[in-house]
Amino acid sequence: MACCVDCFGSRSRPSTLEVEGTAVLFVCYDWDMITKDDLIGECIYLLSRTKAVDTEKEVDGLKQVMLPLSLPDEPEDRHSAYYVLQSRTWDKAAMEFIKMRKKLFKKADSERK
């Protein structure tokens, strides 16, 4: 089992952490110098699991969180957020997100083979 240790930080309002469903999507690739980078997997971290930290203080004592990676699948539920965003053809940000997710689904399919 491979393990990657990295640190991620982001500035946001503490109230953001209290909004149910607010999450960060991590997409992980390996790094190849000669060939293309391969999709390893993705994971979602719910920000409601976290508490605000003062960045002016030491953060070394914070608890590490292990996140399981999985290869993404296109949702089967036609009422999922993915399909709602896909129907918003006038929304540039939604279209960019759907475009990125479709590429990710295609890479995941090739990794399974």
Side-chain angles (χ1 to χ4, degrees):
M1 178 168 103
C3 180
C4 174
V5 179
D6 210 338
C7 180
F8 172 80
S10 174
R11 291 182 184 266
S12 63
R13 292 188 178 113
S15 60
T16 304
L17 302 176
E18 298 168 4
V19 177
E20 187 176 342
T22 303
V24 176
L25 172 66
F26 293 95
V27 180
C28 302
Y29 290 86
D30 70 353
W31 183 72
D32 295 326
M33 289 182 65
I34 299 173
T35 61
K36 68 179 178 85
D37 297 340
D38 301 312
L39 174 66
I40 296 173
E42 69 176 6
C43 58
I44 297 172
Y45 182 74
L46 294 175
L47 292 180
S48 59
R49 295 180 180 173
T50 265
K51 61 181 179 179
V53 175
D54 184 354
T55 56
E56 300 299 320
K57 297 181 180 178
E58 287 290 323
V59 293
D60 292 335
L62 294 176
K63 182 181 173 186
Q64 290 185 5
V65 178
M66 300 298 283
L67 300 172
L69 294 176
S70 61
L71 290 173
D73 282 318
E74 189 166 355
E76 294 179 13
D77 179 6
R78 294 287 175 188
H79 300 289
S80 70
Y82 174 80
Y83 289 105
V84 170
L85 289 174
Q86 192 174 35
S87 70
R88 296 178 62 156
T89 55
W90 68 92
D91 185 337
K92 187 176 178 180
M95 292 296 96
E96 283 296 315
F97 177 80
I98 294 299
K99 183 179 173 181
M100 183 225 27
R101 292 302 290 175
K102 284 183 177 183
K103 285 181 182 178
L104 205 57
F105 296 147
K106 189 174 179 177
K107 282 188 178 198
D109 286 342
S110 69
E111 293 297 321
R112 287 187 183 95
K113 295 177 183 177

